[in-house]
Amino acid sequence: MTDLNKLVDELIAAGHTDFAVDAEWGGANYRSGWLRTVQFSWGAGHAACIILRTRESQRAVTFKPGLFQAVEALRRLFDRPGVRIIGQNFRSDALWLEDIGVPVMRHLYFDTMLADHALNESQEHGLSAMTVRYTDMGRYDLRLEQWRKEHPCTDGGYGTIPDDILHPYAASDADATYRIGVFLTAALEKPEHAGVRYLFYNIIMPACQPIHDIERNGIAVDTERMIDLLWQYYRKRNELLSDLRAMIHWPTFNPQSHLQKVKLLYGARGDGYLGLTPVKTTEKPSREWDDILALPDNERARVNPSTDAESMELLWADASPGWVRESVRTLQDFQVIAQVCKSFLRPPTDIGFDAEDTTDIENSLEAFTEGLLGHVAADGRIRTTLSQLADTGRHKSSRPNLQNISKRQEGRYKKIMGPDVKKIRSCFVARPGHVLIEADYKAAEVVVLAEISGDNTLRADARGKIKIHAKVAVDILRAPCGYEEVAKKYEYLY
């Protein structure tokens, strides 16, 4: 402790205000894991590693006299006017540091991963790759990576890495981040990067704080409603599967098998199948099936017909009314509901694919380890991780992906499940005494395009009372309806 306070005093006295900050931990996340080290650098070749816990101590703090004193020293160093923190994917570290009481996010100035992505979108943005690219430190992480290869970590972090490997590595991480920050700061100052510089400092970096708040706070979940909804979807999935098997007289049909779906959809009707003509291939990019029919038999045999959602919709539209069309629709409905059960409302792992009796199943939250319920924390909230590195410029959600709960599909769910079944989104709730407010830009891309292009007609359309998607559908695509009917007939446009 004396050494840490002495170092903090010296750094403050010397006027150091720029620090690269990093952390290493054990466990899957800051709520259930343990912070092992906090390391920082104040110049190339200068770094300190504060050891809070050792490998052997696991959750027990070994820093003397205690964690509180370590936190106070770090607060004294970082929480000062003029301090600028540099980090690599820093929001991940900030969750741990803020949790123990070190306020770092309000001092975050530069994220090397985000800067590198802004400057070199197609490059790798991991610390190892950037260290090799921008510094002379080489692969200082090889010893740690070799140990991890020989001893796979199962705790989701660095909880089992030996101290003599982790501590030098941790200090080098901070050193490398500082050096990369210096390099990328200079790169952003080049005249040819003026636009990127504005984007980085005025949009990308300011977005870090609200994203951090979203990741840390999460969103409350009505778990009872979600569990009830899960079983409603699960029963509907089994009901649709039973109906489909009866329609096609195939008691063992497995809709999760691509080969069986191909046989059902495209097999000869005389053999008891639906006898439909494929729409396209499974290739990327796909080819229309009419082009495949023109190929020699040996080439055509090597091409697989698609059974994706687009193909299924076209097959249903072209099918003659009757059992064939009804079978296609039932298969479609099954796939929609099965995807919900797979991605969001996933039953306990010991439940069979088509188990019918679920009355004796334990409905406590602990029984659900996958899907959305598997991500509900002890405080009843789900927390996602947001990435600012998407190619589209939008943010990506993962672990779990909360952006995949499509509002556009709610109409389809309602048609299949019935009008009385609650929406999946209704499981996300505000805490008592509060409300959730939804806000969105309508046709934001079109409005921006109109302003950038300077096209006065497009500007007028973008700002007019008639929605631009409705005008495109009716005026350009010749949709057989009026502007006001587009939203109802083609709801996927919105």
Side-chain angles (χ1 to χ4, degrees), residues 307-492:
T307 62
D308 66 6
E310 181 184 42
S311 298
M312 294 285 290
E313 189 65 28
L314 292 172
L315 290 172
W316 175 82
D318 290 341
S320 300
W323 79 274
V324 171
R325 197 177 203 204
E326 188 178 352
S327 297
V328 174
R329 178 58 87 198
T330 303
L331 177 56
Q332 281 182 292
D333 291 347
F334 172 86
Q335 291 187 156
V336 169
I337 300 304
Q339 186 60 45
V340 173
C341 294
K342 177 182 177 181
S343 301
F344 309 124
L345 304 177
R346 197 158 188 168
T349 53
D350 57 349
I351 302 300
F353 171 72
D354 55 357
E356 296 182 2
D357 187 4
T358 60
T359 54
D360 295 328
I361 295 173
E362 173 62 50
N363 275 335
S364 66
L365 187 59
E366 292 74 18
F368 300 89
T369 59
E370 298 184 88
L372 292 178
L373 286 166
H375 288 275
V376 178
D379 62 357
R381 305 179 78 83
I382 286 181
R383 292 169 175 84
T384 186
T385 298
L386 295 174
S387 170
Q388 293 172 266
L389 303 186
D391 294 337
T392 60
R394 294 173 180 262
H395 299 153
K396 292 189 299 186
S397 169
S398 62
R399 302 192 305 264
N401 185 349
L402 295 182
Q403 293 174 326
N404 254 7
I405 307 174
S406 175
K407 183 187 293 186
R408 295 178 179 179
Q409 285 280 55
E410 289 290 0
R412 184 71 180 272
Y413 299 154
K414 189 173 183 179
K415 288 179 182 178
I416 300 172
M417 298 296 300
D420 297 330
V421 175
K422 302 292 184 181
K423 295 180 179 180
I424 298 175
R425 286 171 170 241
S426 71
C427 296
F428 299 101
V429 296
R431 63 179 184 266
H434 295 74
V435 296
L436 294 178
I437 299 176
E438 179 182 6
D440 190 16
Y441 287 108
K442 293 295 184 182
E445 295 88 348
V446 176
V447 173
V448 172
L449 177 63
E451 291 303 314
I452 293 175
S453 69
D455 186 309
N456 289 328
T457 301
L458 186 57
R459 281 177 171 174
D461 286 342
R463 295 173 177 173
K465 293 183 179 180
I466 300 173
K467 294 181 178 180
I468 190 69
H469 294 310
K471 288 187 70 67
V472 170
V474 175
D475 296 346
I476 298 178
L477 301 179
R478 304 300 181 189
C481 62
Y483 297 132
E484 67 283 351
E485 298 175 282
V486 171
K488 293 181 180 179
K489 289 192 173 184
Y490 308 98
E491 60 186 33
Y492 55 84

Side-chain angles (χ1 to χ4, degrees), residues 11 24 64 82 96 116 126 136 167 199 218 228 241 255-256 295 323 327 376 378 383 390 424 446 454:
L11 293 173
E24 308 299 343
K64 300 300 182 183
W96 294 82
D116 193 50
D136 59 1
H167 299 164
L199 175 70
D228 180 62
L241 179 60
Q256 294 181 320
L295 296 176
W323 79 274
S327 297
V376 178
R383 292 169 175 84
I424 298 175
V446 176

Side-chain angles (χ1 to χ4, degrees), residues 155-335:
D155 68 350
Y158 285 0
T160 59
I161 304 293
D163 297 342
D164 66 322
I165 295 177
L166 182 67
H167 299 164
Y169 163 84
S172 296
D173 263 6
D175 186 5
T177 300
Y178 188 95
R179 299 187 196 206
I180 295 168
V182 171
F183 182 92
L184 294 178
T185 298
L188 284 168
E189 291 303 316
K190 293 180 179 179
E192 62 266 30
H193 293 149
V196 176
R197 181 170 65 250
Y198 178 87
L199 175 70
F200 178 74
Y201 287 117
N202 292 278
I203 298 177
I204 295 175
M205 287 307 301
C208 290
Q209 179 68 63
I211 293 175
H212 166 80
D213 293 340
I214 291 171
E215 292 178 328
R216 188 174 184 188
N217 295 329
I219 187 168
V221 177
D222 184 337
T223 55
E224 288 187 8
R225 172 175 287 189
M226 188 172 283
I227 290 173
D228 180 62
L229 200 56
L230 180 151
W231 291 124
Q232 290 185 61
Y233 270 79
Y234 184 80
R235 287 192 290 270
K236 175 58 71 172
R237 185 190 70 168
N238 291 348
E239 176 188 316
L240 289 167
L241 179 60
S242 179
D243 291 347
L244 178 62
R245 286 171 171 173
M247 283 181 199
I248 62 178
H249 306 289
W250 189 344
T252 60
F253 175 70
N254 180 7
Q256 294 181 320
S257 166
H258 176 73
L259 292 178
Q260 289 192 24
K261 281 195 291 185
V262 167
K263 182 180 287 189
L264 171 66
L265 293 169
Y266 309 126
R269 194 167 298 183
D271 295 332
Y273 305 118
L274 303 187
L276 300 169
T277 302
V279 176
K280 62 180 182 179
T281 69
T282 57
E283 301 163 311
K284 293 185 178 181
S286 62
R287 288 183 285 173
E288 293 187 11
W289 199 254
D290 287 344
D291 297 333
I292 303 303
L293 294 176
L295 296 176
D297 290 346
N298 62 327
E299 291 186 35
R300 189 164 64 241
R302 294 197 295 268
V303 181
N304 292 315
S306 174
T307 62
D308 66 6
E310 181 184 42
S311 298
M312 294 285 290
E313 189 65 28
L314 292 172
L315 290 172
W316 175 82
D318 290 341
S320 300
W323 79 274
V324 171
R325 197 177 203 204
E326 188 178 352
S327 297
V328 174
R329 178 58 87 198
T330 303
L331 177 56
Q332 281 182 292
D333 291 347
F334 172 86
Q335 291 187 156

